[in-house]
Amino acid sequence: MEVITMSKCECEDSPASLQDLCLDFISHNLYALCRQSPAEDKTGFAKLAFKDPDIYFHGELSEELLKRLSKQYALNDAVLSLFANSKSTRLKRACIKNAVLSCKGLKALSYHRLVDLDASCVRGVTVNDIIGALGEWTTGHLQSLNVSGTTFVNSSKFCIVISLSMLKALKHLNVSYTEFNNNLGLELVVDSLKLLESLDVSHTPITNAAPLSKCQDRLKSLNMFQVRIPDSNLMPVIAQLTNLRQLDISREVLVHPFSGNQHAGKLNLSRLMMMENVLPNITSLDISGRDGLVESSLQTFLRNHPRVKFVGLLLTKSVVPETLAMIDLCSAEFLTNEHHMDYRRDLQVTGESNEKQVLEALRRYSSRANYMHKTLCTLFNMTQALDRARVDMIQLILPGMANHRQHLGVQMAASACLYNLSKQQLADNVHVSALKDMVQLTMDAMETFPNHQQLQKNALLTLCSDRILQDVTFDRFRAAKLVMDCLCTFEDSSMSRMAVAICSILAAKISTEQTALLGSKPYMKKLLNIVKKKAEEIQADVTLKFTLSALWNLTDESPTTCNIFLSEGGLELLMHILEIFPNETALETKVLGLINNIAEVRELRHTLLRQDFIEHVKNLLSGDQIEVSYFAAGIIAHIASDVGREGWTLSQDLRQQLLKALHDAILSWENPKGEMVAYRSFSPFFPLLGPDGIAEVQLWAVWAIQHVCTKNSVRYCPMLIREGGVRVLKDLIACPDTRGEVRNIAKNILEVLKQCLPATK
């Protein structure tokens, strides 16, 4: 296997807490830590319980574990049943977002006294089912309910909202992105929930805001993003809501008006803002996506409302009275110029005019696909020439990227921004936890849009980073497969270069079973075609070197891959490479390292018994470069170990010449300063060290073991002990036929083991 130099991280960050690490482990290994009881009937499900009956998760731990399972999209009937026991878990605030449940599975909620329930985007049940599953105490005391994206429509296609009226203590209700409407819905909520202070009806089919006037004295927060209510109906009602602290009447971008002229009617937004004493308690106002607003009206409004801390103006257009031209309101002088008399440092604004506005938009609009797309495009232009890491930007991009996995625009813009934020040395100062999340979402995007060339290119640009490939923990096999698929799909030289570079590193970090899958015929054919093309062009460029590295690492301890390599004409191609690129040390090392992998497979060694090939290897054995000489020696050692005098089909004189040249070359080597090679295990060496072994072959094997154990003792000394190498070496030393030079190196290895691992003395 080719040696990979590890990059050094220059950033520092606080490590995860022990509690976080434990909860991560539990959430990812839940079934291993639990026992399953069989389903009670055909319609039931296997229930989970911790194997240790004495385990108890207090409230904070129970809530955090449930939240993590929700974030991992792991919640189903079986997993939720783990919480159907108040003796082992206790919930006050429950998050079952993204769960796939049945009515039976929902019964787990009845074991807890809940005051806060996030049941957004739940599938398999209705809002009515969820409320019906709550315990009596919870029904009477629940203060906050979020059912955004969860259906009200039952199997009979009826929209049932009556169950909401049972929640008399409810203060906060979110029914956004549902079928909640004027028919009973809004009227029912306003009349029944006398304590309601916060309501989110965004993206619902509500068409009449009039019922809201009934709760004008108690409603403090109202979200009405993208509601189908004409301004002529909406604005007069808003003017009556004197107790509002937070108001969102923003609209979707790139959407035609709902009906008629949005600026017609008794009262439009500009006139509302100019009204005296309107919204006297407001602290947060979002009017993003609206147009027709006069700049002076907003300026007057903010001047009259000094307690406003946030105003949303993303894609809000202002009318210039003199010309009727439309401009971005967020770029107004009183919002961007610190020297303007009305500029307020404490005011947060979403928009596109400066970095502060863009970051605020990312923070607030992660659930809105079109808003995210537009904001990310603006951020991309802002981040093309960064001179320092911006972890804050990465952390603001990831939620929106995760929320809109199917939105090509968001994924394109997000992946481009992530590359800008992690390219070259910038990644060195980003903590691995942020990079891990970044890589995960990048792979998700590659998987979702496999045929979109620019998105795949963005992903490759991000992944092609030493910092990411070396230091970050992620599913490397999945990444390697996605990259290989990309390599096979697109004919693009820059993409091919990045793909083979990534695979050359990842292939060394996955199991041999996985390399066998990556070395399958379609992938192997593509890699060999790249080598063939470079040979035809006589071009020893970086793409050729990375491709040979990838082939080297894919064939390492993988007989299946080696066999496919040979069947696809790989050996002839490599011999051609050696012929047309003489004295290219880097290429010769990679080619001979790859052929070493074939020589390690006993069943394939006969394919290397070719006069032309053996003569070429013999010449390379006596070269000045130890890296080339070492791998040439390895090939000869493996062939000679298995093919005795009877099986040697070439000249016997040639065999003796090879063994002598092998012996002389090894004795001439000086131990290099760095590690020349990396091994997955010592299993290829042990067959060479048997009591009937050939002395020259044994000499190469012990020299190789000594080399890696002295250059990287932390990795190889424990590996050698674990795999039984101590016994092999002791038997070799004890054998009377072992040559003195072999015995001495074997003794030196044991001494190195004692120094590195005192417990083995």
Side-chain angles (χ1 to χ4, degrees), residues 267-294:
L267 188 63
N268 63 26
L269 185 55
S270 286
R271 291 180 60 195
L272 175 75
M273 297 184 120
M274 297 294 287
M275 288 177 62
E276 189 175 354
N277 297 324
V278 70
L279 299 173
N281 296 299
I282 200 74
T283 61
S284 173
L285 175 66
D286 199 334
I287 53 175
S288 296
R290 286 181 168 268
D291 56 24
L293 188 67
V294 179

Side-chain angles (χ1 to χ4, degrees), residues 40 47 80-92 104-114 133-138:
E40 297 176 358
K47 295 181 179 180
L80 192 59
S81 71
L82 187 63
F83 296 84
N85 183 354
S86 57
K87 293 182 179 180
S88 60
T89 59
R90 178 166 294 181
L91 298 171
K92 189 176 180 181
K104 288 187 176 182
L106 282 171
K107 290 182 180 179
L109 298 176
S110 66
Y111 289 85
H112 302 277
R113 295 185 171 190
L114 303 176
L134 302 177
E136 183 179 349
W137 190 95
T138 299

Side-chain angles (χ1 to χ4, degrees), residues 15-197:
S17 68
L18 180 59
Q19 176 174 306
D20 285 340
L21 292 172
C22 290
L23 285 172
D24 274 341
F25 179 82
I26 293 169
S27 63
H28 285 100
N29 299 275
L30 200 62
Y31 285 90
L33 298 171
C34 295
R35 53 181 172 80
Q36 296 187 57
S37 60
E40 297 176 358
D41 53 53
K42 292 182 179 180
T43 61
F45 52 89
K47 295 181 179 180
L48 295 183
F50 287 113
K51 291 178 180 178
D52 184 345
D54 296 326
I55 284 181
Y56 174 71
F57 281 68
H58 61 68
E60 181 185 344
L61 287 178
S62 297
E63 291 167 9
E64 186 58 34
L65 177 60
L66 184 61
K67 188 182 296 183
R68 286 170 190 250
L69 292 167
S70 166
K71 189 176 180 181
Q72 295 166 16
Y73 292 81
L75 284 179
N76 53 34
D77 288 340
V79 172
L80 192 59
S81 71
L82 187 63
F83 296 84
N85 183 354
S86 57
K87 293 182 179 180
S88 60
T89 59
R90 178 166 294 181
L91 298 171
K92 189 176 180 181
R93 294 172 176 80
C95 176
I96 57 171
K97 183 178 180 179
N98 301 316
V100 180
L101 301 169
S102 69
C103 290
K104 288 187 176 182
L106 282 171
K107 290 182 180 179
L109 298 176
S110 66
Y111 289 85
H112 302 277
R113 295 185 171 190
L114 303 176
V115 296
D116 187 332
L117 175 60
D118 182 351
S120 55
C121 301
V122 175
R123 290 175 291 163
V125 292
T126 67
V127 174
N128 195 51
D129 296 329
I130 293 170
I131 296 174
L134 302 177
E136 183 179 349
W137 190 95
T138 299
T139 302
H141 294 81
L142 190 69
Q143 296 179 20
S144 178
L145 176 65
N146 181 357
V147 291
S148 176
T150 301
T151 186
F152 279 94
V153 177
N154 63 16
S155 58
S156 300
K157 306 301 181 184
F158 289 110
C159 179
I160 300 177
V161 299
I162 190 68
S163 57
L164 288 172
S165 64
M166 300 165 56
L167 307 176
K168 301 299 183 182
L170 206 62
K171 293 182 178 180
H172 310 281
L173 175 62
N174 185 341
V175 291
S176 60
Y177 296 88
T178 68
E179 305 87 355
F180 188 86
N181 54 42
N182 287 97
N183 298 329
L184 294 178
L186 190 57
E187 290 274 5
L188 177 74
V189 163
V190 168
D191 292 336
S192 303
L193 307 182
K194 301 298 184 182
L195 301 179
L196 191 66
E197 297 177 354

Side-chain angles (χ1 to χ4, degrees), residues 288-434:
S288 296
R290 286 181 168 268
D291 56 24
L293 188 67
V294 179
E295 180 181 315
S296 59
S297 64
L298 177 62
Q299 187 173 357
T300 300
F301 180 84
L302 292 176
R303 191 181 297 150
N304 294 335
H305 294 76
R307 289 191 293 177
V308 171
K309 301 300 181 185
F310 166 73
V311 59
L313 298 174
L314 182 67
L315 298 166
T316 301
K317 300 297 182 181
S318 171
V319 178
V320 180
E322 295 80 8
T323 63
L324 297 182
M326 305 289 281
I327 62 171
D328 291 330
L329 185 53
C330 62
S331 62
E333 283 282 311
F334 70 92
L335 296 172
T336 58
N337 185 354
E338 295 184 8
H339 302 292
H340 193 281
M341 61 179 294
D342 285 330
Y343 180 81
R344 287 169 43 187
R345 293 182 182 278
D346 65 337
L347 182 65
Q348 296 176 327
V349 180
T350 57
E352 310 163 65
S353 291
N354 54 44
E355 180 186 300
K356 185 179 177 183
Q357 291 183 1
V358 168
L359 296 187
E360 192 62 33
L362 289 175
R363 185 177 293 110
R364 291 179 179 266
Y365 301 138
S366 63
S367 64
R368 304 182 185 182
N370 289 333
Y371 278 31
M372 284 298 296
H373 182 205
K374 178 61 179 177
T375 305
L376 288 168
C377 288
T378 304
L379 182 67
F380 173 75
N381 293 326
M382 289 181 172
T383 56
Q384 294 194 60
L386 291 177
D387 58 0
R388 63 186 179 92
R390 293 296 303 270
V391 183
D392 59 329
M393 290 184 176
I394 293 175
Q395 292 173 334
L396 288 173
I397 291 170
L398 298 180
M401 195 175 182
N403 288 340
H404 309 290
R405 297 169 193 267
Q406 303 296 323
H407 193 289
L408 177 59
V410 170
Q411 297 302 315
M412 279 278 290
S415 60
C417 288
L418 290 179
Y419 168 63
N420 280 352
L421 293 164
S422 62
K423 63 185 177 183
Q424 299 171 357
Q425 283 73 46
L426 293 177
D428 291 343
N429 292 302
V430 179
H431 194 261
V432 290
S433 59

